[in-house]
Amino acid sequence: PICRGSCISSTGSGSSSHHSYCRDLYASHSAIIMPPCHSRHNGADAPSLCGYLLLPLKTRYRGPAPAPVPGGEDEVLDLVDEAIRSFRWNIHFKNFEVEGDGDRVLIYLTLWIQLCLSRASQTSGFEDAQRQLEALAVSEMPGPGESGFLFAFDGPLGQDCQTAKAYLKQLRQETVCRLLAILYPSGQPNKWWFQYSKKKFMNISL
């Protein structure tokens, strides 16, 4: 039987080479029958911005996302947590059917994490990666309805699109903040994550 234990944990801490081998073997041979991880927030009773679900976010960065209700479910597992936890499984898939607006956020953040990994793998270490990724997170990137954005948006362009763009920026910043601690535990590169630096989710990139 193939191990599916600690090898798919969010940090990879405690995983052995055996777990890494099992995870990759399981993904490569079972992707055709095992589905990708979809957002648990699909269908949530929450507003959407140009097709991107707007949910509470644990963050210190300013933006449209509201703060979680103390003790609420979003305080435990929000959209950024979900994207980080599912990344090393979903990265193996070439197709991903959108089942709700939560999935659009999940796809965007998966591609963002992919880009962060690629950039971090070319840096000299934690401090250099932190500087580059934090700058990249706040850089001007296209949003829904703008030229160069990966996903088509058929709705009317307006204030919602600008708010959605600010929301995606806020998500990028918070993802970098949490991801750096995973990529560089104790300041050293985490090989269980950097092994994915050249993989592409759905064969596309931000």
Side-chain angles (χ1 to χ4, degrees):
I2 295 175
C3 169
R4 286 181 287 167
S6 60
C7 58
I8 58 171
S9 66
S10 63
T11 64
S13 58
S15 298
S16 66
S17 59
H18 167 72
H19 284 137
S20 177
Y21 170 77
C22 289
R23 179 194 58 244
D24 291 341
L25 183 67
Y26 185 83
S28 63
H29 287 278
S30 302
I32 58 172
I33 57 174
M34 293 297 291
C37 294
H38 288 273
S39 176
R40 62 196 289 270
H41 299 288
N42 285 332
D45 184 17
S48 287
L49 296 168
C50 301
Y52 291 82
L53 194 64
L54 179 63
L55 284 174
L57 182 66
K58 299 175 294 185
T59 185
R60 61 184 175 84
Y61 299 101
R62 297 181 61 182
V69 176
E73 189 174 357
D74 291 313
E75 192 177 40
V76 179
L77 183 69
D78 62 16
L79 289 162
V80 172
D81 290 324
E82 183 176 63
I84 291 175
R85 291 188 181 193
S86 65
F87 176 81
R88 291 188 295 169
W89 176 256
N90 282 350
I91 192 67
H92 294 281
F93 290 86
K94 305 305 180 186
N95 298 289
F96 189 96
E97 182 179 355
V98 175
E99 296 181 351
D101 289 354
D103 274 350
R104 290 190 178 88
V105 178
L106 184 61
I107 291 171
Y108 185 86
L109 290 181
T110 299
L111 294 172
W112 172 242
I113 293 170
Q114 172 184 296
L115 177 58
C116 289
L117 265 176
S118 177
R119 291 293 182 90
S121 69
Q122 302 172 52
T123 64
S124 60
F126 171 76
E127 291 184 357
D128 189 22
Q130 182 181 35
R131 178 181 58 80
Q132 290 198 35
L133 295 186
E134 288 180 349
L136 184 62
V138 299
S139 65
E140 182 67 20
M141 299 180 72
E146 294 183 341
S147 174
F149 192 65
L150 282 174
F151 311 107
F153 175 65
D154 298 328
L157 303 181
Q159 184 60 41
D160 275 359
C161 287
Q162 290 303 309
T163 306
K165 185 175 181 178
Y167 178 44
L168 295 179
K169 176 182 175 181
Q170 185 183 23
L171 288 168
R172 293 195 305 267
Q173 288 179 281
E174 183 56 37
T175 301
V176 165
C177 181
R178 299 185 203 178
L179 189 62
L180 282 167
I182 295 171
L183 297 184
Y184 296 94
S186 303
Q188 299 302 312
N190 185 339
K191 64 181 180 180
W192 307 113
W193 273 79
F194 277 101
Q195 65 182 323
Y196 297 102
S197 62
K198 294 183 179 180
K199 283 190 172 292
K200 285 190 175 182
F201 177 51
M202 300 194 296
N203 281 326
I204 59 177
S205 57
L206 285 181

